[in-house]
Amino acid sequence: MSTTLPPPDRHSPIRVGIGGWTYEPWRGVFYPKGLPQAQELHHASRLLTAIEINGTYYGTQKRSSFAKWRDETPDDFVFSLKASRYATNRRVLAEAGDSIDHFIGSGLAELGPKLGPIVWQFAPTKRFDADDFEAFLARLPAEVEGIPLRHVMDVRHESFACSAYVQLARRYRASTVFTHGDGYPAIGDLTGPVVYLRLMQTAADVPTGYAADALDAIARCAEAWSAGYEPADLPRVEPVDTGAPITEPVTREVYVYFISGAKERAPAAAQALIQRLPAPA
């Protein structure tokens, strides 16, 4: 996508981005030829409105790194963070307390108002156990260093596609990732204060990753969610009246990330979606 596109609306409740910002095939395409790697975050954050940081999943980041990312990005840019795998990839989630505390206290508060939702990603083999999962949810803190936290569950086993999980997540105000990808459950039920999409089927032979009609549909869904409505025709565990407004809140933050599939197309897909969203007033 050309970098001469209109700038994204950073005040929109709909945030659109990619996973990470360091990927060799993006160089010379999304990133101008010859752009120093040290300037890639600066460049990406001017064309997108959010980025999901993946490195936090694999290892502890320095407090100074969070501060550096904060300072390199525009006002109103947002980072989502994948939480530490040491908290989620375990047999007994109720025993994750120390790992949760270590991750939350690792310096992510340095992002300040740029701290978006925290994504807790579970292994595809992790089955839903109501008691154990509730113990995990109960352990998640509501804030860190005075900054409110929003928690999002990326559940990847079909056993989570049940009313017991949906009701439990709602009780703890934990949002659930809506995944568009083979092999993972697509749970369209709203369970928390934000809507979080991870779109994993970008195609290499489509310049914008997703076809135009698919991007149009994603944009319509994102607009409906942000306005307080439930989009029609999504897979859900529990049926809803898609024409009825959601009582609280009237406006929801929506995060849309192009993550996997033909990853080289992710930035183009994100930019194409941004262009489909309402222009700033």
Side-chain angles (χ1 to χ4, degrees), residues 68-153:
K68 182 174 181 290
W69 299 334
R70 177 199 65 214
D71 294 343
E72 288 183 359
T73 50
D75 292 343
D76 297 314
F77 190 80
V78 176
F79 292 97
S80 297
L81 304 181
K82 278 180 68 174
S84 170
R85 57 181 171 165
Y86 298 108
T88 56
N89 289 358
R90 55 174 65 229
R91 187 176 64 83
V92 181
L93 292 174
E95 298 174 354
D98 289 345
S99 294
I100 292 171
D101 291 344
H102 179 75
F103 169 72
I104 296 296
S106 64
L108 51 86
E110 289 291 339
L111 291 173
K114 296 182 182 181
L115 175 60
I118 296 174
V119 182
W120 303 85
Q121 186 178 91
F122 300 89
T125 55
K126 186 63 178 177
R127 291 178 166 271
F128 176 57
D129 177 310
D131 291 339
D132 193 39
F133 207 77
E134 179 167 14
F136 179 86
L137 291 174
R139 194 65 178 75
L140 299 180
E143 59 88 26
V144 58
E145 298 178 31
I147 299 174
L149 298 177
R150 281 87 50 82
H151 299 289
V152 180
M153 304 296 109

Side-chain angles (χ1 to χ4, degrees), residues 146-217:
I147 299 174
L149 298 177
R150 281 87 50 82
H151 299 289
V152 180
M153 304 296 109
D154 187 8
V155 293
R156 299 183 144 204
H157 191 275
E158 286 292 343
S159 60
F160 282 87
C162 65
S163 291
Y165 164 71
V166 169
Q167 294 300 323
L168 179 62
R170 285 176 178 159
R171 191 153 69 247
Y172 284 89
R173 292 181 55 78
S175 299
T176 301
V177 169
F178 180 83
T179 302
H180 185 228
D182 293 337
Y184 302 127
I187 300 174
D189 303 70
L190 295 178
T191 61
V194 301
V195 178
Y196 202 102
L197 284 71
R198 301 183 89 241
L199 307 181
M200 306 172 68
Q201 291 190 334
T202 47
D205 60 348
V206 179
T208 54
Y210 277 75
D213 58 346
L215 289 168
D216 291 342

